[in-house]
Amino acid sequence: MYSKVTWIGGLKILEDIKRNLEERRELARRGGGEKRIAAQHAKGKLTARERIDLLLDDDSFEEFDMFVKHRSTEFGMQNDRPSGDGVVTGWGTIHGRQIYVFSQDFTVFGGSLSETHAQKICKIMDMAIRNKAPIIGINDSGGARIQEGVASLAGYAEVFQRNVLASGVVPQISLIMGPCAGGAVYSPAMTDFIFMVKDTSYMFVTGPEVVKTVTNEIVSAEELGGATTHTTKSSVADCAYENDMVTIAETRRFMNFLPANNRSKSPILPFHDDINRVEVGLDTLIPDNPNTPYDMKELILKLGDDGDFFEIQENFAKNILIGFIRLEGRTIGVVANQPLVLAGCLDIDSSKKAARFVRFCDAFEVPILTLVDVPGFLPGTGQEHNGVIKHGAKLLFAYGEATVPKVTLITRKAYGGAYDVMASKHLRGDFNYAWPTAEIAVMGSKGAVEILYKSDQKDPEKTLKQIAEYEEKFTNPFIAAERGFIDDIIVPRNSRRRIARAFTSLRGKDLKNPWKKHDNIPL
Amino acid sequence: MFKKILIANRGEIACRIIKTAKKLGIKTVAVYSDADLNSLHVEMADEAINIGPALVSASYLSIEKIICAAQESGAEAIHPGYGFLSENPKFPIALEKAGLIFIGPPVEAIKSMGDKITSKELAKKAGVSIVPGHMGLIKTVEEAVEVSMKIGYPVMIKASAGGGGKGMRVAWNDNEVKEGFYASKNEASNSFGDDRLFIEKYIVKPRHIEIQILGDSHNNLVHLGERECSIQRRNQKVIEEAPSTFIDKKTRKKMGEQACKLAKAVGYTSAGTVEFIVDKDKNFYFLEMNTRLQVEHPVTELITGIDLVEEMIKVAQGKKISFTQDDIKLNGWAIESRLYAEDPYRNFLPSIGRLTRYRPPNELTLPELVVRNDTGVTEGGEISIFYDPMIAKLCTWAKSRPEAIKLMQDSLDNFEIEGVGHNLPFLSAVMGHPRFLSGDITTAFIEEEYQEGFVGVRLEKKDLRLLCSAIASIHIFKEIRKSNISGRVNDKVEAVVDDWHVFVQGVQSRVKVVKSENDVLVQYADIETQKVNFKWSPGDVLVKFTINGEKYSLKVNNIIDGYRVRFRGADLKVQVKTSRQVQMSLVMLEKKEADTSKSLLCPMPGLVTSIDVSEGDEFEQGQTLCTIEAMKMENMLKAEKKGVVKTILARVNQSISVDQLIMEFE
């Protein structure tokens, strides 16, 4: 058996073992076999390995546990023990930066999660937490491996526990590239960002069949939990893309914005964009009529390096914009009211959307830029009865606890409680700037005058005079600046330079909250 | 010399007049409406006076307010520009009463030339050849049909007070006469407050060629050659050039002489234009005379070296023209492209909005080349619903027509406009069109060459390869940059792959891309190697590059899954992939675009003026479904194919926005 010996570089390799190893590797690489791979391809989906191949830099993937097999003996499972057990795990690099990755293989038992499958995922999650590198999970699984019963459920819970522990330590990103149903959804749900593929992925706790049986509601998988549903209605997912390739390409782009962990600062991309770039057009961004909307996205694009803005949750709660830009090559998280939608007001959805983003930035040392044009909170029973008080408080809380550099620019309206919420000076804003068009007040002039001069309501002439008086007093940033709530009033065209300099000056910021086990954010 | 003049206009023409005034050392006063507070002409002028709300009738058309502004500022004279009050005889009369000088022709000339019927009679008397037609106003539809049949189809229905294509319709049969009659009447009454119409023969293969004239009060009258204005869309000029490829010396002389004859007959002074229609045998007929500075005057200035505004100002002060007919030499070739805020892909419907980006090419004055851009906007400015949607007039001049066209192509490639829909790609397309290059054009050029509407340009192999090399170079630049991001596991930067596949316009090219110190070598499978040198950094939209020594420019935007590239009128998606990505993309499925043919969406912001069908109605392809008024133009939205109306969501007099649902079909 051990007769033939060759020498390579001073190392003794036994030919037979070598051959055996190659065969085993080859077998593992084949996954569920040609037929199932073809079926996967026919759906427009890539295989688990192809996805990793595209996601990571060429030849950078180091695989773990290729030879792991399940240990189930029920229902004839002992006769079918493919290597790898339906998930490919390991580490590699994206543009040279370390990433841990697991990718479920739908061609092997429908990517179902067994005890050993879960162990493989847990192993790389543990390593990621220890070695402080992000985790990307690619989900394409039919769910729990029924044959294994509670062992499979235990496996899920082990993964969940690690998601919780990793949260706030290393970024966790989930790519949903096939089914993700039942308990399985809670792992991605606890990660930082979820990207989905349109038409070929879905997430739900209970599928269309169960829904039909229980509630008589007839709904398709796509409508119940497809990429469009989750990026427009439920906000479960952050981004949706056309197909596997685009999703992976955008994930690579996205990872360039994220720090490796909660101790390291964001990566620096070599930058060429002039930090003193003057944007003349910004001087006229704010329309003459205070009730005319404008596109806040234009400001974001003109502030950031290269006009590069990675927007998150683009199609949900569009009255607030969130995403990443770079200044001097460094990542900045942006939160901005969008006057184009619902006048840019805060409501339940926008507060939740922004709050979670602010907390991500704070957890991972990403400085936050807040662009404010907010007329207040959206009124109405729909909001009040659904708890806008607690949801709005989430954003307030998130800003208040954040210790990362915070720069705020008020472009136009900053009314009422919403002014306080949007990273005001009082919530430890480091730099609070305003454009000359800023209006910082408890409310708009008309509403204010109605309350201030209730008895004069019948006299329109008087009311107009009072409105003018109020406007002169409050529809400018000077009162706030006199009190030091606004650090400076800046010319719109110079915003990029001023904001970039502000962040530059804050690179050494060191601020700590009082010791606590953890806070009690109004969830 | 005047000390101070007021410009009773806005936009590019106000800016252009201010420039000459500055050159002559005359102080300038701009007037502006509320909507124009931040306009360029306000910024450029020495003084600016607000003359009221955005609505033109309350500001730029208000004689009273303008005279007030002139008196307040102490201006001695007023230049009206074009449009607005420039051809309103009441304006110079009022100015004279107020003791102000009108920089333009005498009132009588404006009056007699302002009416299309009177002007024609005068022209006939002066011995100018005119188009066969019906001398007289058309009162009823029946009369319109009768007269049209008498003249013989096709005919042209025109507003008596018309200009600029407004209130004009061509009709090829009785039905179109009926439709056109009402449409013209409406437009005429909306635009000019005068709904009188007349009808004349429509010449089928016509060219629109006009003669610039200039006169003074000392009986001097010269003509400055012709302008070829045949590239028109819906009778609106788009591209003009001087001279015309079609006009020989003899014809030019004849046309010039007739133009001067007519001018003399009405005692004309100042700058004016006599428009002719020219048939394929070089017969020319008088169309009308414009008693003002024309939009397209720069092309004449470029080939004659004469500043028409300067001459107008001098003539207004009673000075003599400083040159004679013999002094005028036509030199080189000039082209003008009018940039409009209109969407060429949506049948040139007007577009409004904020110019989020506006970077014209650098103006240039060299002995061999001139690039001139007359504009009234700046980045961050607004193209509003209230005024003309012209963004700029880009002019080039060179020794020969091909050189001037090439310079125009390059300049258009260097022009950046974002935020509103614009016709830049269309202008580029025409500049590259073989028929335009040959000079064989008529006023029907656009209609004939773009029968299905404008769908963008398909690049020829050579241009495609240039684009491919440029994008491959950019791509490798970006890849190298990304591989230099901080926080890498290894300090050593991995070499970037050199084997790439570029996909554009259905063509896949495999290239080897190698970056050296100063340039990038792009090697194709057929052994051709292009050496690319470019000045670009990520975030720049404009890429200026040199390939094998030749200079080009294109515009590039990052989009998901590739690049959007605009070059020579083409608007393309370009993808750059590794071999591995190419192989895997074979697995991806083609996705169908959502079906939008079941509904009628509003293609532009405007006001619903009529809804021409009811719910449950069957309609034919081409039938008018509803009419939207935008930019004072009536736009009939016609059915793309036959169908049945299911629901109507818009109401008459409702103002609606782009892509708003008007009606749904079964």
Side-chain angles (χ1 to χ4, degrees):
Chain A
M1 208 41 194
Y2 299 119
S3 54
K4 250 183 127 185
V5 175
T6 50
W7 295 84
I8 295 168
L11 209 83
K12 200 158 63 169
I13 300 276
L14 305 173
E15 279 288 318
D16 292 347
I17 293 182
K18 214 180 117 194
R19 197 181 316 119
N20 190 348
L21 178 66
E22 260 325 301
E23 280 168 13
R24 276 170 180 263
R25 282 200 198 280
E26 194 43 46
L27 208 64
R29 283 192 198 109
R30 251 182 271 159
E34 269 167 44
K35 236 170 104 184
R36 292 217 178 98
I37 289 175
Q40 177 88 349
H41 282 169
K43 282 182 238 164
K45 290 162 68 183
L46 297 172
T47 66
R49 283 177 190 282
E50 287 166 344
R51 286 167 177 165
I52 289 180
D53 207 14
L54 285 177
L55 179 66
L56 300 179
D57 298 336
D58 287 352
D59 305 320
S60 76
F61 183 49
E62 294 271 352
E63 188 169 348
F64 289 150
D65 295 339
M66 193 184 217
F67 309 116
V68 164
K69 296 182 177 187
H70 71 76
R71 294 187 283 270
S72 171
T73 53
E74 310 286 337
F75 308 102
M77 287 296 281
Q78 65 273 26
N79 303 322
D80 190 2
R81 297 178 65 224
S83 289
D85 202 27
V87 65
V88 184
T89 62
W91 76 275
T93 58
I94 290 180
H95 298 300
R97 299 169 67 227
Q98 191 181 14
I99 307 286
Y100 284 87
V101 61
F102 69 85
S103 177
Q104 292 179 312
D105 187 349
F106 196 77
T107 67
V108 177
F109 301 131
S112 63
L113 185 129
S114 69
E115 186 185 13
T116 41
H117 178 129
Q119 280 168 355
K120 283 182 69 175
I121 295 174
C122 290
K123 188 194 256 184
I124 65 122
M125 289 181 80
D126 289 339
M127 294 191 72
I129 296 167
R130 230 168 21 236
N131 301 321
K132 304 279 188 286
I135 306 164
I136 298 177
I138 301 177
N139 296 260
D140 187 2
S141 161
R145 197 169 299 165
I146 299 165
Q147 295 90 335
E148 294 201 8
V150 74
S152 167
L153 297 183
Y156 272 124
E158 293 284 344
V159 176
F160 298 160
Q161 181 63 63
R162 280 165 182 78
N163 283 133
V164 173
L165 295 179
S167 183
V169 180
V170 294
Q172 302 180 77
I173 288 88
S174 299
L175 309 184
I176 314 296
M177 309 190 97
C180 181
V185 297
Y186 287 110
S187 171
M190 290 189 290
T191 61
D192 298 303
F193 297 100
I194 298 178
F195 293 174
M196 290 182 79
V197 185
K198 286 181 190 164
D199 305 322
T200 48
S201 79
Y202 48 86
M203 292 177 82
F204 34 65
V205 176
T206 47
E209 285 85 26
V210 183
V211 168
K212 196 182 162 201
T213 322
V214 178
T215 69
N216 284 318
E217 199 184 346
I218 295 169
V219 64
S220 67
E222 179 64 26
E223 211 189 318
L224 185 62
T228 307
T229 301
H230 283 316
T231 49
T232 59
K233 288 188 184 139
S234 73
S235 84
V236 165
D238 296 285
C239 299
Y241 299 106
E242 261 341 290
N243 58 42
D244 281 17
M245 294 204 52
V246 180
T247 308
I248 288 168
E250 284 301 295
T251 307
R252 278 176 68 85
R253 184 180 150 228
F254 184 60
M255 294 312 287
N256 280 353
F257 283 95
L258 300 190
N261 57 60
N262 58 358
R263 296 284 177 82
S264 74
K265 301 248 167 170
S266 77
I268 305 168
L269 193 67
F271 65 99
H272 308 265
D273 201 354
D274 181 7
I275 206 64
N276 295 321
R277 173 159 48 80
V278 171
E279 289 288 352
V280 182
L282 290 181
D283 289 351
T284 54
L285 181 64
I286 306 298
D288 297 335
N289 181 345
N291 297 322
T292 307
Y294 60 94
D295 190 359
M296 188 66 97
K297 226 178 256 188
E298 185 184 332
L299 173 57
I300 299 175
L301 292 172
K302 286 183 172 170
L303 288 179
D305 290 355
D306 311 339
D308 194 7
F309 174 46
F310 196 106
E311 189 174 356
I312 295 157
Q313 295 198 18
E314 189 179 352
N315 294 310
F316 180 77
K318 291 179 175 182
N319 42 340
I320 208 154
L321 299 164
I322 57 169
F324 297 111
I325 58 168
R326 290 190 189 85
L327 287 173
E328 293 187 279
R330 292 162 169 87
T331 306
I332 306 286
V334 180
V335 177
N337 305 113
Q338 171 58 292
L340 280 186
V341 182
L342 292 171
C345 73
L346 288 176
D347 59 359
I348 292 174
D349 287 345
S350 59
S351 301
K352 278 159 67 182
K353 172 178 165 182
R356 185 164 163 76
F357 182 72
V358 167
R359 278 171 65 88
F360 174 85
C361 291
D362 188 46
F364 290 100
E365 288 296 320
V366 177
I368 301 165
L369 169 64
T370 307
L371 304 173
V372 185
D373 185 351
V374 64
F377 277 94
L378 183 66
T381 49
Q383 290 289 310
E384 297 292 353
H385 292 179
N386 287 304
V388 67
I389 295 174
K390 284 242 166 167
H391 294 296
K394 288 176 181 174
L395 183 55
L396 174 60
F397 197 111
Y399 269 124
E401 71 171 340
T403 55
V404 290
K406 290 186 280 195
V407 176
T408 304
L409 170 65
I410 299 173
T411 59
R412 188 165 63 174
K413 294 170 191 166
Y415 287 169
Y419 153 74
D420 283 338
V421 172
M422 295 301 293
S424 60
K425 195 78 198 163
H426 329 289
L427 298 179
R428 300 188 295 181
D430 296 298
F431 280 75
N432 289 71
Y433 285 143
W435 278 359
T437 43
E439 309 168 18
I440 302 152
V442 174
M443 59 177 74
S445 50
K446 205 166 153 265
V449 165
E450 271 168 26
I451 295 168
L452 285 171
Y453 307 99
K454 235 177 199 152
S455 52
D456 295 341
Q457 295 258 341
K458 299 252 158 61
D459 187 348
E461 216 164 278
K462 215 166 180 181
T463 308
L464 276 178
K465 223 181 110 199
Q466 286 157 350
I467 288 177
E469 202 180 314
Y470 183 91
E471 277 176 356
E472 205 189 311
K473 217 169 223 152
F474 291 109
T475 53
N476 60 61
F478 299 113
I479 299 256
E482 276 172 23
R483 289 179 175 271
F485 300 160
I486 294 295
D487 298 299
D488 198 4
I489 297 157
I490 64 174
V491 180
R493 63 170 73 188
N494 297 331
S495 298
R496 173 171 156 88
R497 186 174 75 88
R498 297 299 298 270
I499 288 168
R501 275 180 65 81
F503 279 117
T504 306
S505 77
L506 294 167
R507 275 186 205 146
K509 183 181 178 186
D510 186 12
L511 176 66
K512 284 188 177 64
N513 291 332
W515 186 92
K516 53 181 97 174
K517 189 171 173 192
H518 62 69
D519 54 45
N520 190 16
I521 187 166
L523 281 178
Chain B
M1 189 62 79
F2 295 130
K3 289 207 171 55
K4 195 188 260 186
I5 62 169
L6 181 142
I7 296 102
N9 215 305
R10 63 178 299 284
E12 66 88 12
I13 194 62
C15 298
R16 190 256 165 275
I17 294 163
I18 293 170
K19 271 185 198 165
T20 291
K22 279 194 174 159
K23 188 178 80 182
L24 300 175
I26 302 170
K27 291 251 182 274
T28 51
V29 183
V31 291
Y32 65 96
S33 73
D34 294 345
D36 278 338
L37 174 64
N38 296 315
S39 299
L40 188 60
H41 76 282
V42 173
E43 197 185 310
M44 282 174 67
D46 296 304
E47 291 169 55
I49 294 172
N50 181 291
I51 48 164
L55 209 65
V56 289
S57 56
S59 50
Y60 294 108
L61 286 180
S62 166
I63 294 176
E64 195 188 328
K65 283 182 183 166
I66 285 167
I67 289 178
C68 246
Q71 287 169 336
E72 192 186 312
S73 62
E76 300 138 85
I78 296 186
H79 197 303
Y82 54 72
F84 295 138
L85 294 168
S86 63
E87 290 176 289
N88 183 344
K90 288 177 195 152
F91 188 48
I93 292 171
L95 290 188
E96 200 178 350
K97 263 194 205 143
L100 294 161
I101 295 170
F102 178 70
I103 304 176
V107 182
E108 286 312 312
I110 298 178
K111 264 191 196 160
S112 52
M113 290 297 116
D115 189 288
K116 296 218 165 146
I117 291 165
T118 330
S119 70
K120 225 157 257 188
E121 280 162 356
L122 260 166
K124 205 174 177 183
K125 251 188 249 160
V128 179
S129 49
I130 61 162
V131 183
H134 178 78
M135 289 273 184
L137 294 170
I138 308 293
K139 302 230 164 46
T140 63
V141 183
E142 292 75 30
E143 197 187 345
V145 173
E146 195 188 309
V147 165
S148 303
M149 279 165 61
K150 211 157 59 193
I151 294 172
Y153 287 108
V155 297
M156 170 87 90
I157 305 164
K158 279 181 162 184
S160 181
K166 278 168 190 162
M168 272 192 197
R169 288 290 187 285
V170 178
W172 295 76
N173 55 47
D174 294 2
N175 270 338
E176 288 185 7
V177 170
K178 286 176 196 161
E179 209 174 276
F181 178 78
Y182 290 116
S184 295
K185 222 175 172 56
N186 256 339
E187 258 180 43
S189 118
N190 280 344
S191 300
F192 319 111
D194 174 357
D195 67 354
R196 291 177 303 154
L197 300 179
F198 70 100
I199 293 178
E200 65 181 21
K201 174 85 181 166
Y202 179 63
I203 291 173
V204 185
K205 273 206 146 194
R207 282 171 178 260
H208 178 125
I209 296 171
E210 59 190 29
I211 301 287
Q212 175 72 51
I213 59 143
L214 188 64
D216 62 20
S217 48
H218 306 274
N219 267 331
N220 297 311
L221 205 52
V222 295
H223 68 87
L224 304 176
E226 78 281 4
R227 288 188 291 258
E228 164 78 73
C229 311
S230 296
I231 307 293
Q232 308 185 345
R233 201 185 56 76
R234 288 173 69 179
N235 293 308
Q236 176 86 265
K237 293 165 191 163
V238 182
I239 291 166
E240 298 99 338
E241 58 186 303
S244 164
T245 54
F246 194 56
I247 300 299
D248 49 44
K249 260 192 183 152
K250 214 175 99 198
T251 316
R252 179 173 302 129
K253 192 157 176 267
K254 267 187 355 202
M255 288 173 86
E257 281 167 3
Q258 285 203 9
C260 287
K261 247 195 253 172
L262 176 62
K264 201 148 257 168
V266 293
Y268 203 89
T269 66
S270 195
T273 298
V274 182
E275 295 191 341
F276 291 100
I277 197 158
V278 183
D279 74 11
K280 60 180 197 301
D281 304 315
K282 296 197 173 101
N283 296 314
F284 56 90
Y285 309 101
F286 170 74
L287 269 182
E288 61 179 31
M289 180 167 185
N290 296 317
T291 54
R292 56 169 154 87
L293 189 65
Q294 292 274 92
V295 175
E296 60 273 21
H297 74 275
V299 287
T300 299
E301 296 186 327
L302 286 170
I303 60 160
T304 58
I306 292 164
D307 182 336
L308 284 168
V309 173
E310 182 181 336
E311 296 304 323
M312 286 176 86
I313 293 174
K314 285 182 178 163
V315 168
Q317 294 171 95
K319 293 194 176 151
K320 271 189 188 172
I321 305 171
S322 55
F323 46 83
T324 65
Q325 189 67 54
D326 292 337
D327 296 333
I328 296 159
K329 297 274 179 303
L330 306 188
N331 175 27
W333 213 280
I335 312 251
E336 174 181 275
S337 295
R338 296 193 192 185
L339 264 86
Y340 284 108
E342 57 183 21
D343 190 343
Y345 304 108
R346 297 173 99 170
N347 200 21
F348 298 93
L349 290 169
S351 172
I352 54 165
R354 210 178 120 71
L355 288 165
T356 54
R357 201 173 172 87
Y358 177 78
R359 311 270 164 99
N362 291 334
E363 290 189 306
L364 202 67
T365 310
L366 299 174
E368 304 291 316
L369 302 168
V370 177
V371 176
R372 167 175 168 179
N373 186 46
D374 284 22
T375 191
V377 301
T378 48
E379 185 165 298
E382 187 94 15
I383 303 293
S384 77
I385 199 159
F386 303 108
Y387 310 114
D388 189 90
M390 194 163 74
I391 303 170
K393 298 178 331 202
L394 181 64
C395 298
T396 58
W397 176 92
K399 288 271 175 226
S400 69
R401 187 169 188 265
E403 288 169 287
I405 292 175
K406 165 101 182 30
L407 185 58
M408 179 60 79
Q409 274 181 319
D410 291 343
S411 304
L412 289 168
D413 277 340
N414 275 297
F415 212 128
E416 291 183 70
I417 307 174
E418 309 281 348
V420 295
H422 56 77
N423 65 341
L424 237 166
F426 179 71
L427 295 169
S428 289
V430 174
M431 289 302 147
H433 197 293
R435 193 175 144 195
F436 177 75
L437 296 176
S438 78
D440 173 27
I441 51 175
T442 71
T443 52
F445 173 85
I446 292 175
E447 230 164 77
E448 285 165 13
E449 298 301 324
Y450 301 94
Q451 282 180 10
E452 309 293 314
F454 178 66
V455 289
V457 168
R458 262 193 87 79
L459 291 182
E460 299 291 322
K461 199 182 166 212
K462 182 180 163 268
D463 283 348
L464 207 56
R465 187 156 274 196
L466 293 172
L467 181 151
C468 183
S469 299
I471 298 301
S473 308
I474 281 177
H475 190 74
I476 195 113
F477 181 92
K478 284 180 65 184
E479 286 298 308
I480 292 170
R481 177 198 194 201
K482 280 188 269 185
S483 68
N484 278 289
I485 196 167
S486 71
R488 298 186 310 275
V489 181
N490 298 321
D491 287 340
K492 185 176 151 281
V493 178
E494 291 289 325
V496 170
V497 232
D498 62 1
D499 179 24
W500 295 96
H501 300 253
V502 184
F503 293 77
V504 55
Q505 204 178 274
V507 179
Q508 176 181 358
S509 317
R510 186 169 189 167
V511 289
K512 194 173 171 215
V513 190
V514 184
K515 194 185 177 306
S516 63
E517 187 76 16
N518 295 315
D519 39 42
V520 180
L521 285 178
V522 183
Q523 193 182 329
Y524 288 82
D526 58 15
I527 324 277
E528 188 191 356
T529 300
Q530 297 197 327
K531 195 160 133 189
V532 188
N533 194 302
F534 63 97
K535 254 190 86 173
W536 178 80
S537 84
D540 287 353
V541 175
L542 193 66
V543 191
K544 292 185 179 216
F545 61 103
T546 311
I547 288 182
N548 299 346
E550 284 270 343
K551 278 185 190 166
Y552 306 93
S553 300
L554 55 75
K555 277 158 261 177
V556 66
N557 299 88
N558 293 312
I559 53 169
I560 285 195
D561 202 21
Y563 301 92
R564 177 189 178 199
V565 181
R566 283 167 289 175
F567 181 51
R568 295 276 141 103
D571 191 338
L572 302 164
K573 179 177 178 179
V574 185
Q575 290 176 298
V576 188
K577 294 175 178 170
T578 61
S579 293
R580 189 89 184 101
Q581 286 171 331
V582 172
Q583 192 191 342
M584 290 191 197
S585 50
L586 297 175
V587 174
M588 300 299 110
L589 302 176
E590 281 289 324
K591 292 192 181 176
K592 282 190 201 105
E593 287 203 10
D595 185 15
T596 53
S597 63
K598 290 273 182 220
S599 50
L600 178 69
L601 302 180
C602 184
M604 76 215 119
L607 189 78
V608 182
T609 51
S610 75
I611 290 177
D612 303 295
V613 286
S614 312
E615 288 183 6
D617 280 4
E618 280 186 36
F619 55 83
E620 291 300 317
Q621 183 187 348
Q623 188 177 331
T624 304
L625 299 173
C626 85
T627 312
I628 307 289
E629 191 193 292
M631 305 284 184
K632 289 196 193 151
M633 291 284 280
E634 298 228 328
N635 297 277
M636 281 178 244
L637 304 185
K638 298 188 174 186
E640 279 177 26
K641 54 184 186 192
K642 63 186 272 182
V644 179
V645 182
K646 193 168 146 198
T647 43
I648 296 174
L649 294 108
R651 298 178 324 272
V652 173
N653 282 332
Q654 182 187 355
S655 58
I656 56 177
S657 55
V658 180
D659 284 337
Q660 193 170 334
L661 195 58
I662 297 172
M663 57 182 79
E664 287 178 305
F665 310 134
E666 298 260 308

